[in-house]
Amino acid sequence: MAPSSIPASQRIQLQLRAAEPRRRQKYRSIKEIMRVAKRVVLLESDDGDQSDGGGGGDYYSRVACEQCGSGERADELLLCDRCDRGYHMLCVRPIVARVPIGLWFCPACSDNKNRPIKSFSQKKIVDFFRIQKSEEADGKCASIQEVNKKRRRRASTLVFHKKRRRLLAYVPLEDPERRLIQMASLASALTAQHMEFSNQLTYMPNMAPLSANQAIFENGGMQVLSKEDTETLEQCRAMQTRGEYPPLIVTFDSCEGYTVEADGPIKDMTLIAEYTGDVDYIKNREQDDCDSLMTLLLTADPSDSLIVCPDKRGNIARFISGINNHTVEGRKKQNVKCVRYNVGGACHVLLVATRDISKGERLYYDYNGYEHEYPTHNFV
């Protein structure tokens, strides 16, 4: 309708209505709604059959483990947040050591997420590990072997003192292409776990400060890393900044999850890695579902004890498997030990080879080196 066809009086009324302020609609409170709402009574079926899952509690009371078929030990029964299938924490592979805090997906639903499928170019690897270029990188592998030989010869001449086994620096592979493949496997595993690479202990806000990590607080004292072994540790750290890492590769096993294998021969007493991650108080992580917490400092006052938490930051030590220390066969697998040292007044955790390790051999150490609280009796 054209504006000219509307009577003048009607146009005035429309203008007045438009000029009036709009009244705010008042909504009833939830209390008022519930006061007048009708009650609803749910009628249960005689046979109690609610196979479509709509019954809620009845369905979950009948859930059984997909692996062992038992519905017992309900406190250990996990339900997949995608398919609602149940698995006991120690029946599923890889096992779940602690009840997850957030969402949890069974192997069938998370299989595609947990495999290291991401590829990395050389430039991305350099950026991921923050590798520093050095003109002195050439010929370092040979010099490391010479240093280790000299140390062994020197130690053999000490006849007036008890022979002490010294740490050896690892020998990276000479093939640069193979070293890139090794680093790419670690980068893929860290990325899949939503972790950042860190080769040192990190102190984050709202966690334990750097001042809390003092070896003098250790209850009963802590072994001091000798001057020669400290030089070995610094030598390994310098090699890593140049992209020269130990001959290790990360693989995914459907039964054990991410594991670490030797990609070259490793000598006995070789320093493999330092266990790194965020440093926090044990009391702050009592309900943490991270399965790789590592003891760092045990004080007389438990509230001051520290752990390493590699859930957001860490290195290859995060993926080394644990042994089943309840069986003889499980203990035979161990080829790495975890040792805590006083390094410059602070506590550090080092992983050291306990024997010669051949290429292709999987790395294992005892998760319960200091405390026997980790459930390893279901480890493969």
Side-chain angles (χ1 to χ4, degrees):
M1 180 181 294
S4 58
S5 61
I6 302 176
S9 60
Q10 189 175 355
R11 288 202 302 271
I12 294 174
Q13 291 179 358
L14 292 174
Q15 293 174 357
L16 291 174
R17 289 178 183 177
E20 290 180 358
R22 296 185 62 182
R23 296 179 180 179
R24 296 182 61 182
Q25 187 176 0
K26 184 178 180 181
Y27 295 96
R28 291 189 298 173
S29 65
I30 189 67
K31 291 184 179 180
E32 293 177 355
I33 295 174
M34 295 302 295
R35 189 182 302 116
V36 298
K38 296 181 179 180
R39 292 182 174 273
V40 177
V41 179
L42 296 178
L43 299 178
E44 297 183 359
S45 58
D46 295 337
D47 55 357
D49 184 16
Q50 298 171 344
S51 58
D52 60 352
D58 183 66
Y59 168 75
Y60 293 121
S61 66
R62 293 184 286 107
V63 171
C65 176
E66 295 290 324
Q67 194 70 25
C68 68
S70 172
E72 298 180 355
R73 307 195 314 277
D75 55 331
E76 299 179 10
L77 198 60
L78 302 177
L79 293 182
C80 177
D81 286 290
R82 181 166 297 167
C83 67
D84 263 356
R85 292 190 178 95
Y87 292 86
H88 283 122
M89 296 169 59
L90 301 181
C91 290
V92 68
R93 291 292 185 270
I95 72 167
V96 180
R98 296 177 176 85
V99 177
I101 295 177
L103 298 177
W104 180 79
F105 300 104
C106 69
C109 294
S110 61
D111 189 53
N112 293 332
K113 295 183 178 181
N114 287 338
R115 294 185 182 274
I117 57 176
K118 188 174 181 179
S119 59
F120 287 81
S121 64
Q122 180 176 351
K123 183 179 183 304
K124 288 184 177 180
I125 292 176
V126 172
D127 294 339
F128 189 90
F129 292 98
R130 298 182 290 276
I131 296 174
Q132 301 175 4
K133 295 182 179 180
S134 174
E135 297 178 354
E136 302 177 358
D138 298 333
K140 286 292 181 180
C141 296
S143 64
I144 294 169
Q145 292 175 335
E146 291 299 325
V147 169
N148 289 338
K149 287 181 180 179
K150 290 180 180 179
R151 284 190 173 184
R152 286 195 292 270
R153 286 198 297 268
R154 189 186 309 161
S156 63
T157 60
L158 299 177
V159 295
F160 298 103
H161 301 278
K162 183 179 179 180
K163 183 178 179 180
R164 187 180 61 84
R165 305 178 72 191
R166 295 176 177 174
L167 298 181
L168 302 178
Y170 62 80
V171 181
L173 296 184
E174 297 181 0
D175 184 2
E177 294 298 328
R178 189 61 188 175
R179 293 208 301 263
L180 287 175
I181 294 175
Q182 295 169 358
M183 288 187 287
S185 70
L186 174 57
S188 298
L190 290 171
T191 303
Q193 297 294 320
H194 308 289
M195 292 175 57
E196 298 178 6
F197 173 75
S198 176
N199 236 1
Q200 58 186 0
L201 298 175
T202 50
Y203 300 88
M204 306 301 295
N206 301 322
M207 294 189 187
L210 176 62
S211 58
N213 183 12
Q214 297 189 40
I216 58 174
F217 296 154
E218 174 73 14
N219 187 19
M222 180 177 293
Q223 182 178 354
V224 179
L225 193 66
S226 66
K227 179 181 179 181
E228 295 83 359
D229 291 344
T230 301
E231 292 175 354
T232 300
L233 176 61
E234 294 301 328
Q235 182 183 3
C236 292
R237 289 173 174 174
M239 285 192 293
Q240 291 167 357
T241 60
R242 300 192 298 266
E244 299 173 358
Y245 285 86
L248 303 172
I249 192 166
V250 183
T251 61
F252 185 84
D253 184 275
S254 60
C255 186
E256 297 186 42
Y258 284 106
T259 61
V260 179
E261 296 180 359
D263 202 33
I266 299 176
K267 291 290 186 181
D268 182 18
M269 288 301 295
T270 295
L271 175 57
I272 293 176
E274 178 181 355
Y275 206 94
T276 63
D278 295 339
V279 179
D280 201 357
Y281 292 108
I282 292 182
K283 61 183 179 182
N284 295 341
R285 300 282 180 151
E286 291 178 350
Q287 304 300 324
D288 200 299
D289 61 346
C290 178
D291 60 353
S292 300
L293 301 178
M294 173 64 71
T295 302
L296 180 65
L297 176 65
L298 293 175
T299 62
D301 185 355
S303 63
D304 294 329
S305 297
L306 303 177
I307 54 175
V308 183
C309 315
D311 51 353
K312 294 181 175 60
R313 281 159 286 272
N315 58 7
I316 199 167
R318 162 71 170 80
F319 301 107
I320 298 180
S321 304
I323 64 168
N324 183 336
N325 54 14
H326 295 270
T327 64
V328 176
E329 292 299 322
R331 290 191 291 269
K332 286 182 179 179
K333 288 184 177 181
Q334 182 173 357
N335 49 20
V336 176
K337 66 179 178 179
C338 171
V339 188
R340 294 184 298 139
Y341 284 105
N342 176 350
V343 183
C347 303
H348 291 265
V349 182
L350 304 183
L351 298 179
V352 182
T354 58
R355 58 174 172 81
D356 291 347
I357 303 174
S358 305
K359 179 180 179 180
E361 190 175 348
R362 190 166 291 177
L363 271 60
Y364 290 96
Y365 72 99
D366 189 355
Y367 282 4
N368 289 316
Y370 297 99
E371 301 156 298
H372 299 277
E373 298 180 355
Y374 202 95
T376 66
H377 52 281
N378 277 68
F379 279 18
V380 178

